[in-house]
Amino acid sequence: MMNRRLAWVPGWLCLSILACCLLSCDGGGNVLRIQTNIPALANMTGTYMAQAGSPIIEIEYREQLSVTEGNGPVPDLVIGTGLYANQIMDNLASQKELFETDPIDTSAYYPFTFIQHKDDYRLTVLSWDLPAILTPLAESGHDFNETVMLPLEGLMDRAAQYNQKKKGSLSAMGFSPLYSDEFIYLLFQYNGATLGSDNRGYPDWREDRLNAALQMLGNWSKDYNGGAAAETAFLTKFAYAPVYQLLGSQRFAYAYSRASDFLNQDSLSRNRLNLHWASWQNRLLILDNLVTAGIPQHSRHKAEALRFIRWSLVQSVQQAAMVRNLDDGLRSFGFLEGFSTCRYITEKIIPQYYPAVRLRIPPETILDFPAPQGML
């Protein structure tokens, strides 16, 4: 199957060609260069140019974004994942102008929308994602069908009840933490065992928290799934398909997924499953694949970059972008591949188009924003 990102490369080429053609008339002075790893941004930049008339937007697509010299010319604006890290924010310009002349009404947005670094605003969060546990649709009237939160501390006992053996080997498993590397990382995050840096700036882990996460993972496998060897043997034999299919075949009762990955599936797959939030000790961690907007310190068009960020936060702009992506068949959940930091879009508009999250948007009070990479 073609990678969904690669499938949209021709669109980027068209935009680059358009920009180059216009540059010959413009002289290259009024060009906003945006670097991104989010394909869905293409439709938005086209709309912005059509509405604003100026500037010309030149887009560079990169899986790993760069905000400093050394990897080619410094872009004027970067939008995508992987920017929420101390080392990167060190090289971003302030966005304090968003709160000075004609200040943004911050009450319309989640409190983590505008990220401060070293006492200055350096990043604007445009979309965010959540950890989810998926289950097959239960029988009508089953209480679990309506459970929005699924605390991981209760999932162990609940999932183990589903385990079945044939001829001494597991033939069905409630849940396997070893099936998904992302789930293992989530356990590490919930236990505070993420990678940080010591006082010299070298990579480091909090040993006590790392040991707690490893012990939890080992106990889960040993006490509930018969040990790592039995669990690995089951996965080797039966985990031959995406989790959405394994849940349907009754090999698994529960499976982990990013909410955005699940909600990007076709409606037939989504309608066969229930979505629950993978919380821990009354916290629901926002995943670190945040889509953010930052302005490199050496941006040549900071004022225009700020105007684009301000424009992209407008409710009507986000709704139009989401609807257009759906109409164009672009598999990009919600706004820029996630839930919007605009409360109205997330709480009112997204559920209209994605019934799987209808009445399931988590309360703001339980949301736990992650620490940036490089901070213990």
Side-chain angles (χ1 to χ4, degrees), residues 72-363:
V74 176
D76 299 308
L77 176 63
V78 285
I79 297 178
T81 59
L83 298 174
Y84 184 46
N86 289 325
Q87 296 88 339
I88 291 178
M89 290 190 288
D90 284 342
N91 293 288
L92 295 178
S94 170
Q95 297 182 19
K96 64 181 180 181
E97 293 88 344
L98 294 173
F99 311 100
E100 294 177 344
T101 305
D102 188 21
I104 289 175
D105 179 10
T106 57
S107 66
Y109 301 91
Y110 287 94
F112 50 81
T113 302
F114 306 101
I115 296 177
Q116 285 188 290
H117 177 70
K118 295 183 177 179
D119 298 323
D120 208 348
Y121 292 99
R122 302 291 182 96
L123 276 179
T124 297
V125 182
L126 298 176
S127 71
W128 47 286
D129 205 353
L130 288 172
I133 298 294
L134 308 177
T135 62
L137 284 176
E139 305 244 340
S140 178
H142 195 294
D143 289 340
F144 189 63
N145 241 10
E146 304 304 323
T147 302
V148 177
M149 294 295 168
L150 182 51
L152 295 183
E153 51 266 45
L155 178 60
M156 303 179 193
D157 288 313
R158 188 190 293 269
Q161 298 173 17
Y162 187 87
N163 290 355
Q164 298 179 26
K165 285 188 176 182
K166 285 186 178 180
K167 298 181 180 179
S169 300
L170 285 166
S171 59
M173 184 177 293
F175 180 83
S176 169
L178 301 183
Y179 179 78
S180 169
D181 291 340
E182 289 191 9
F183 181 79
I184 294 174
Y185 180 57
L186 178 67
L187 287 183
F188 277 41
Q189 287 180 295
Y190 272 137
N191 280 276
T194 50
L195 182 64
S197 58
D198 62 16
N199 55 11
R200 299 168 298 171
Y202 294 143
D204 193 19
W205 297 83
R206 281 286 299 271
E207 186 174 356
D208 56 336
R209 298 180 183 181
L210 178 61
N211 289 336
L214 290 172
Q215 183 176 4
M216 178 182 175
L217 185 64
N219 290 344
W220 194 327
S221 181
K222 176 173 64 73
D223 297 340
Y224 294 91
N225 291 335
E231 194 168 342
T232 301
F234 172 84
L235 293 175
T236 301
K237 185 174 183 179
F238 295 113
Y240 51 82
V243 292
Y244 316 108
Q245 297 180 26
L246 292 173
L247 288 167
S249 67
Q250 297 184 341
R251 291 295 180 190
F252 285 148
Y254 309 91
Y256 172 80
S257 174
R258 292 181 182 178
S260 60
D261 288 342
F262 168 62
L263 294 165
N264 267 334
Q265 302 303 308
D266 60 88
S267 58
L268 182 60
S269 298
R270 295 199 307 265
N271 293 340
R272 290 174 174 171
L273 300 173
N274 268 326
L275 177 147
H276 314 270
W277 302 125
S279 62
W280 172 258
Q281 296 180 348
N282 296 316
R283 295 183 295 135
L284 180 57
L285 186 70
I286 294 173
L287 300 179
D288 55 14
N289 60 328
L290 304 160
V291 175
T292 60
I295 303 172
Q297 288 180 349
H298 296 292
S299 170
R300 293 184 297 176
H301 298 287
K302 180 181 177 182
E304 194 59 54
L306 284 166
R307 277 193 288 272
F308 188 90
I309 293 173
R310 183 185 292 272
W311 175 81
S312 68
L313 288 169
V314 174
Q315 174 187 311
S316 59
V317 169
Q318 295 192 5
Q319 184 172 351
M322 187 177 74
V323 172
R324 181 175 177 183
N325 287 338
L326 289 170
D327 290 343
D328 289 350
L330 180 59
R331 292 179 69 175
S332 173
F333 160 66
F335 176 65
L336 295 181
E337 304 190 1
F339 296 101
S340 170
T341 48
C342 175
R343 286 192 176 95
Y344 184 82
I345 295 295
T346 288
E347 296 169 8
K348 303 297 183 182
I349 302 302
I350 286 179
Q352 292 181 23
Y353 295 93
Y354 298 89
V357 296
R358 195 170 294 162
L359 302 178
R360 288 176 178 264
I361 300 299

